[in-house]
Amino acid sequence: MSTFSFISPTTWRCAPCNGELQPEKVNVSYMGSIFTVELMVCPSCGFVLIPEDLALGKMHAVEQLLEDK
Amino acid sequence: MEQQLLRTLEATCIQEELPFCTAACPLHVDVRGFMACLAKGDERGARRVLDRTMPFADIVGRICDEPCRQACKRSEVGDPLAVAALERHCVTSTAAVLKLTKLPDREGKVVFFGSGLASMTAALDLARKGRSATILTTEREIGGSLRRLGEERLPLAVLDAAVEQLGSYGVNIIFDCQMDAEFIEYTLNFYDAVFMDRDWSAIDDFCLDCRHPNPLSLAVARPGCFTGGGTGPNGYSVIRQVEEGRRAALSIERYLQKVSLTAGREREGACATRLFTDITSIEPLSVIAPADPAAGYTVEEAAREAARCLQCQCLECVKQCAFLQAFKEYPKTLVRKIYNNQAVVQGTRTANTMINSCSLCGQCTLICPHQFPMAEVCVTTRQSMVLDATMPPSAHEFALQDMAFSLGSEAAMLRHQPGKSSSRFLFYPGCQLAGSAPDLVEKTYLHLTRHLHDGVGLMLGCCGIPAHWSGRQELFAATMEEFCTAIQENGNPLIITACSSCYVTFKEFAPQLQIRSLWQILEEIGLPAGKRAPLSQPMTIHDPCGVRKEPEIRASVRNIAGQLGMNVAEQPFSGELTDCCGFGGLMQFANGPLGEQAAERKARRSSLDSLAYCAMCRDNLAASGHRVAHLLDYCFPGEGLADPLLRPNPGFSGRHENRARLKAQLLASLWQETSALPLEHKRIALDIAPQVRELMEKRLILEEDLQKVLLHAELSGRFLEDPHTGHRLANHRPVRVTYWAEYEVRDSGYRVYNAYSHRMILPERKTA
Ligand code: SF4
Ligand code: SF4
Ligand SMILES: [Zn+2]
């Protein structure tokens, strides 16, 4: 299965690790379904960035779809 | 939903019933569709409508005796449509558009004696079904009585074209037959069925039987024999020839298939219709006659005449309901979708949002000529969705948490009147009034304690109706029971509700309780004396949907407005027909944009300033930017100059805040009790710009949610930072929703720039 990618350069930096975010594959889940997606993540502590447009766009659509399954 | 129930519901909504013209037409020609095409100048479209149903549109369209015209609804508001004249216009100015298909040839040979329009129709219909059809006539031409109508009404060339048409479907016509009883008997041996056209005057010489056909099937005593057409009690009717030819063809088809000749044929031919079409606001219009009667209609005249068609349908409920309009459905199609949605085992249930979008307000049921129970269907469907765990969690979660807050320790309370140990009355303002106007709750309570004796207790909470609306039967029952127990333990006081939703909820689900509406009580005990600003500008009353069936409450409200000297101008959609503001049925939570539309629709029923007496109506109308006040605003006016019409919508966070503050304040001022210290996150001071507040409101994010994000981020030190702006971005997931806040640390607290949320679960943090 191909991994969906939502990576794009960002000016957000991880504050505690004082480092840049980097593309990384992570597992997100909802209603018992697990997806592997590529997101911007802090490589040392794993803080995952979900930008506003992703949360309200694609991610919201997938949530709604899973709720209607 | 059981299939049986689906069928009953489908039959309740009469939107799909035949229009009056089509029902009266023995062929059920789609006159409404025909008129719609003509009205927009689409002559070929109109012709297609005729070709689809009429066996010989060029004949019938010219000379039909239009029984539909008498049934036309337009006759109640002006003249009926000139259907036949328009059909004549159509068939004389266009050529056939549609050639109907023919099925492959099959067994079954049918013979037709006589060549009138009944025989022609039956032969054509059966030939199209693939049966072999042979017309025998003593004459040289076909048409029978049609030939004697005169060239004016029916040019003989049209009949020649009909012969060709019959030939093209394989109908065999034998002219100049010498017929006698013997020939007929002999011929019958070669055919499986026979039709006797009574337009052939000699027929009675051969067949005595033919005078008494079965009216439904046109079958006569001898098996396989059918008859129809000819001159009836009212003379020769063209449409009757076609009707009986078609009816006989269907009977012969049944006979050849060896099935019942009569079962289920009630709606064949002219029939009754249950359609309802409202004409109360329709201007009467007279018929548009052609300027040159001999030449008939011009295209332009035909369009004007056809435009008088009312395009009869019901849709009474849809005309008023934002929900039905938004989903482009009427109840009949809607219940089908609900049924199918529930039948889905694997796959997407596409109707969930629709089911959760109905405001359950009951307006449609009152408007509907057959009382279609839309709200009942939607709420019971929600209940079964909850039971079989197919209810989308996001639809109602926010509203249920709001209800839990109102019932929780921060906002709920129950006390006897200060200084009393029992209550004969109990004031129950309801969660929304407490959330919208806490000061009005306090003033109203004090007023009640001054004028009612033997103790007026106070209870802050929520009646639990959101649980019912969301289909959570168990939660609703538990909430109700807890409430009833509390009432009983406090000596069964008379409950005085300020909110009409609470009132109808208690009335319906706890009928043993004594309840009265605050408005009835105020009407009796009177309003506080004192100076009020004069109210000269006319206002309109927006009844809440809860009092649709409570005329006494509505009357009390109007009396109070009268006592206050208000100048009330009623609008048509008040009282029992009133709209829902978008809160009902939790519409605005399951479908935010639709909730806004509903509020807007309600507000726009009048251009006057609005007077509401449900706190939720008031807030939702205020949110949609309209000037609206609560009746209590005028009963208990504030000291300042603030115009109650301009009081903003407090929003979800504001309502929480108000409820919590109301409880703390009342406990302190009236009962001298101090409440617990606020929760830790409540001490986080937020500075939120109005546009961010608006976003939060639409995204159902509370200030409290952001306070928790910030507390969590600043305590753990886990947040992102943008070195260019200095903004921070952090998230927190208290239960099922992850909230994000973009903010900046200021000396005075936190400035919030953005807030959003999602439900998707992110991975746990990496362990180093
Ligand atoms: S108004 Fe139009 S749709 Fe209604 S009955 Fe008359 S022709 Fe038919
Ligand atoms: S009012 Fe609505 S539910 Fe009732 S018959 Fe008409 S379209 Fe159907
Ligand atoms: Zn990090």
Side-chain angles (χ1 to χ4, degrees):
Chain A
M1 198 187 95
S2 65
T3 316
F4 287 105
S5 181
F6 299 103
I7 53 171
S8 57
T10 175
T11 48
W12 291 113
R13 297 168 55 85
C14 182
C17 309
N18 191 22
E20 290 189 356
L21 305 187
Q22 272 160 26
E24 194 175 305
K25 284 179 186 168
V26 296
N27 288 337
V28 297
S29 64
Y30 188 52
M31 308 269 307
S33 296
I34 302 177
F35 305 86
T36 305
V37 289
E38 203 171 10
L39 294 164
M40 299 304 283
V41 177
C42 168
S44 52
C45 73
F47 195 114
V48 179
L49 167 67
I50 304 293
E52 179 185 22
D53 56 347
L54 176 59
L56 302 180
K58 264 267 158 35
M59 195 175 247
H60 178 72
V62 173
E63 289 167 6
Q64 293 287 301
L65 202 70
L66 292 172
E67 291 197 352
D68 288 343
K69 282 279 178 228
Chain B
M1 190 189 297
E2 299 293 320
Q3 196 173 27
Q4 176 68 38
L5 176 62
L6 170 70
R7 298 284 170 248
T8 315
L9 289 169
E10 279 182 330
T12 305
C13 171
I14 44 83
Q15 163 65 10
E16 287 175 14
E17 284 279 306
L18 296 178
F20 309 96
C21 47
T22 302
C25 167
L27 304 183
H28 295 173
V29 168
D30 176 14
V31 183
R32 181 174 64 186
F34 173 77
M35 295 300 173
C37 288
L38 279 188
K40 55 176 198 254
D42 178 8
E43 301 264 319
R44 278 174 56 84
R47 176 66 195 243
R48 179 175 294 118
V49 171
L50 301 185
D51 289 344
R52 204 182 295 134
T53 323
M54 290 180 172
F56 299 95
D58 278 300
I59 299 175
V60 183
R62 272 184 172 79
I63 52 176
C64 182
D65 27 318
E66 54 175 356
C68 55
R69 191 171 191 194
Q70 289 189 12
C72 177
K73 193 80 186 166
R74 223 336 153 187
S75 62
E76 294 167 43
V77 264
D79 298 317
L81 269 287
V83 187
L86 288 170
E87 285 178 0
R88 187 176 177 91
H89 157 78
C90 179
V91 301
T92 50
S93 60
T94 57
V97 173
L98 210 66
K99 181 161 163 65
L100 293 172
T101 48
K102 176 185 184 329
L103 295 180
D105 285 341
R106 289 187 290 169
E107 282 184 13
K109 289 156 83 180
V110 190
V111 64
F112 302 81
F113 289 100
S115 59
L117 188 53
S119 264
M120 290 165 66
T121 300
L124 181 69
D125 281 2
L126 284 163
R128 285 192 50 222
K129 293 218 162 91
R131 308 295 185 181
S132 141
T134 306
I135 296 178
L136 304 180
T137 172
T138 54
E139 300 191 39
R140 273 233 150 133
E141 324 269 357
I142 64 159
S145 302
L146 290 181
R147 305 197 75 80
R148 295 181 280 280
L149 296 176
E151 192 68 15
E152 264 299 275
R153 289 189 66 200
L154 186 66
L156 292 177
V158 172
L159 286 171
D160 295 341
V163 173
E164 236 169 78
Q165 189 184 345
L166 285 165
S168 75
Y169 283 95
V171 175
N172 197 8
I173 310 176
I174 302 176
F175 297 100
D176 290 325
C177 294
Q178 295 297 312
M179 292 220 231
D180 53 27
E182 210 176 312
F183 171 80
I184 290 179
E185 272 307 321
Y186 176 75
T187 310
L188 290 185
N189 290 325
F190 300 94
Y191 292 93
D192 302 303
V194 54
F195 177 75
M196 299 277 186
D197 189 341
R198 297 180 54 76
D199 189 36
W200 175 35
S201 50
I203 193 153
D204 288 341
D205 302 344
F206 304 110
C207 178
L208 293 174
D209 232 17
C210 276
R211 280 176 226 210
H212 308 289
N214 175 307
L216 258 190
S217 66
L218 299 182
V220 297
R222 180 169 172 160
C225 285
F226 300 84
T227 187
T231 304
N234 305 319
Y236 179 81
S237 149
V238 171
I239 195 68
R240 192 166 153 262
Q241 312 304 308
V242 182
E243 183 200 354
E244 297 199 346
R246 178 152 286 175
R247 186 181 285 277
L250 284 166
S251 297
I252 291 171
E253 187 58 35
R254 283 171 177 240
Y255 176 77
L256 294 175
Q257 288 180 18
K258 300 190 170 48
V259 296
S260 160
L261 291 182
T262 49
R265 299 188 70 170
E266 302 72 24
R267 287 174 71 87
E268 239 173 67
C271 62
T273 176
R274 297 188 301 140
L275 187 66
F276 172 83
T277 298
D278 179 44
I279 48 166
T280 45
S281 54
I282 307 261
E283 285 292 312
L285 288 177
S286 308
V287 67
I288 311 279
D292 176 356
Y297 282 115
T298 63
V299 172
E300 185 271 336
E301 286 167 336
R304 280 201 294 138
E305 170 61 5
R308 294 196 309 122
C309 170
L310 304 172
Q311 293 292 306
C312 292
Q313 54 176 340
C314 178
L315 294 191
E316 285 303 299
C317 53
V318 180
K319 286 180 201 162
Q320 305 308 335
C321 173
F323 159 63
L324 292 170
Q325 283 169 15
F327 285 89
K328 301 193 167 51
E329 306 280 355
Y330 45 89
K332 182 166 190 164
T333 51
L334 205 137
V335 283
R336 264 181 229 150
K337 290 209 168 154
I338 293 181
Y339 179 81
N340 293 337
N341 196 67
Q342 287 192 283
V344 170
V345 181
Q346 277 232 311
T348 308
R349 293 183 185 80
T350 51
N352 284 350
T353 304
M354 183 181 83
I355 294 164
N356 286 327
S357 294
C358 171
S359 71
L360 310 179
C361 79
Q363 184 192 49
C364 58
T365 308
L366 250 155
I367 292 175
C368 174
H370 297 279
Q371 292 83 44
F372 193 98
M374 197 69 247
E376 203 183 305
V377 170
C378 286
V379 84
T380 49
T381 305
R382 292 179 199 177
Q383 289 169 349
S384 67
M385 286 163 75
V386 170
L387 286 180
D388 61 21
T390 57
M391 176 59 91
S394 66
H396 302 127
E397 200 171 88
F398 183 86
L400 292 173
Q401 278 169 3
D402 189 61
M403 171 178 141
F405 179 87
S406 298
L407 284 165
S409 58
E410 275 184 84
M413 63 171 275
L414 170 57
R415 292 286 185 284
H416 292 301
Q417 188 173 330
K420 309 249 176 186
S421 56
S422 66
S423 301
R424 204 173 126 210
F425 302 94
L426 181 77
F427 180 42
Y428 194 87
C431 62
Q432 301 302 359
L433 184 62
S436 174
D439 53 320
L440 291 176
V441 171
E442 181 170 0
K443 287 178 188 165
T444 307
Y445 179 57
L446 292 176
H447 181 68
L448 292 174
T449 56
R450 278 181 209 122
H451 293 86
L452 295 171
H453 305 292
D454 304 326
V456 184
L458 177 70
M459 186 171 188
L460 301 180
C462 170
C463 67
I465 197 64
H468 177 68
W469 284 339
S470 72
R472 270 70 173 183
Q473 284 169 288
E474 250 177 65
L475 175 63
F476 179 58
T479 309
M480 236 19 220
E481 197 182 310
E482 208 169 301
F483 176 76
C484 291
T485 311
I487 297 301
Q488 206 175 9
E489 284 172 1
N490 281 272
N492 269 321
L494 174 97
I495 302 161
I496 302 171
T497 63
C499 169
S500 48
S501 291
C502 300
Y503 181 88
V504 293
T505 304
F506 298 151
K507 185 171 165 184
E508 182 176 350
F509 297 99
Q512 75 280 11
L513 301 181
Q514 314 175 63
I515 15 159
R516 294 201 70 196
S517 128
L518 171 66
W519 313 112
Q520 295 170 299
I521 300 284
L522 285 182
E523 203 186 358
E524 283 167 21
I525 65 176
L527 300 169
K531 255 177 66 90
R532 293 189 175 81
L535 291 161
S536 50
Q537 84 273 35
M539 294 180 89
T540 199
I541 294 189
H542 282 290
D543 293 301
C545 55
V547 299
R548 201 181 295 294
K549 292 183 185 146
E550 304 295 339
E552 292 91 359
I553 296 183
R554 302 197 305 257
S556 297
V557 162
R558 282 157 177 79
N559 268 339
I560 293 169
Q563 283 176 34
L564 290 167
M566 302 180 106
N567 178 0
V568 169
E570 297 284 356
Q571 44 94 2
F573 286 84
S574 64
E576 61 174 12
L577 291 183
T578 194
D579 305 301
C580 169
C581 69
F583 178 68
L586 304 181
M587 173 198 261
Q588 69 187 78
F589 301 95
N591 191 335
L594 183 60
E596 284 172 25
Q597 279 172 36
E600 185 67 26
R601 185 177 180 85
K602 184 174 177 79
R604 281 186 189 278
R605 291 289 190 182
S606 166
S607 55
L608 300 174
D609 289 344
S610 302
L611 181 64
Y613 55 103
C614 161
M616 207 58 232
C617 287
R618 200 222 69 94
D619 286 356
N620 275 347
L621 297 190
S624 68
H626 289 83
R627 288 162 56 85
V628 55
H630 194 282
L631 182 53
L632 288 177
D633 281 316
Y634 297 113
C635 295
F636 303 99
E639 265 88 75
L641 294 168
D643 184 348
L645 287 167
L646 302 177
R647 179 155 62 85
N649 170 34
F652 296 116
S653 301
R655 277 186 210 104
H656 270 210
E657 187 66 34
N658 284 340
R659 289 175 197 142
R661 214 166 342 127
L662 175 65
K663 173 178 176 181
Q665 192 175 311
L666 289 178
L667 282 180
S669 66
L670 296 179
W671 284 273
Q672 274 78 48
E673 293 176 31
T674 45
S675 27
L677 284 175
L679 297 163
E680 196 178 6
H681 64 261
K682 294 268 170 92
R683 281 181 266 144
I684 302 263
L686 299 184
D687 169 14
I688 308 176
Q691 61 283 18
V692 178
R693 272 193 192 284
E694 217 171 283
L695 272 187
M696 289 167 60
E697 191 72 6
K698 281 204 201 317
R699 296 175 180 177
L700 301 178
I701 298 172
L702 299 174
E703 229 180 290
E704 200 178 317
D705 299 323
L706 299 189
Q707 287 171 317
K708 286 181 191 164
V709 174
L710 296 200
L711 181 71
H712 176 81
E714 296 297 319
L715 283 180
S716 67
R718 278 175 61 81
F719 48 82
L720 303 177
E721 201 159 23
D722 186 330
H724 307 286
T725 57
H727 290 188
R728 293 178 177 183
L729 181 64
N731 71 45
H732 178 56
R733 186 179 183 92
V735 193
R736 275 176 296 271
V737 178
T738 302
Y739 297 97
W740 289 79
E742 180 180 339
Y743 62 100
E744 188 182 21
V745 185
R746 297 246 177 117
D747 293 340
S748 52
Y750 301 90
R751 172 86 177 162
V752 178
Y753 292 97
N754 196 6
Y756 54 93
S757 71
H758 57 78
R759 305 177 73 90
M760 195 75 76
I761 304 166
L762 305 181
E764 296 291 315
R765 67 183 294 180
K766 275 183 198 167
T767 40

